[in-house]
């Protein structure tokens, strides 16, 4: 149970950040993460509502951090 809680709080947000960094598009990173979470819920790996809510909170935080990260990258490109 605790492993699911910790995973739901960390991995979706981290996945949004990584996919946004790879694609340089935060909405693409968020969309791919939502698709992966939906597939895992459909397959039965995410079976309770509170896990889905924690995934959503983590994705929101990851989206915010990805927005800041991409903004800093664009600012660094303009200065260089």
């Amino acid at each position: 149970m605790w492993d699911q809680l910790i995973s739901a709080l960390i991995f979706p947000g981290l996945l949004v950040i990584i996919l946004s960094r790879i694609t340089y598009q935060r909405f693409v990173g968020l969309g791919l993460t939502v698709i992966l979470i939906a597939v895992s819920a459909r397959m039965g790996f995410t079976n309770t509502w509170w896990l889905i809510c924690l995934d959503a909170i983590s994705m929101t935080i990851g989206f915010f951090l990805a927005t800041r990260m991409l903004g800093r990258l664009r600012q660094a490109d303009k200065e260089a």
Side-chain angles (χ1 to χ4, degrees):
M1 179 172 145
W2 288 104
D3 57 341
Q4 290 178 340
L5 176 71
I6 293 170
S7 296
L9 285 173
I10 294 173
F11 291 131
L14 188 62
L15 192 59
V16 170
I17 293 169
I18 290 171
L19 291 173
S20 296
R21 177 72 170 121
I22 291 171
T23 62
Y24 292 103
Q25 296 290 321
R26 63 183 184 221
F27 290 109
V28 173
L30 181 65
L32 290 172
T33 304
V34 167
I35 290 169
L36 289 172
I37 297 297
V39 168
S40 73
R42 178 76 174 143
M43 293 179 68
F45 296 116
T46 305
N47 51 6
T48 59
W49 282 103
W50 61 271
L51 277 176
I52 294 171
C53 291
L54 289 177
D55 286 338
I57 291 168
S58 179
M59 284 187 282
T60 303
I61 293 169
F63 184 76
F64 172 72
L65 293 174
T67 301
R68 290 185 59 197
M69 176 192 66
L70 291 175
R72 288 181 184 169
L73 286 173
R74 289 185 182 120
Q75 185 68 23
D77 286 343
K78 288 180 183 178
E79 291 175 1

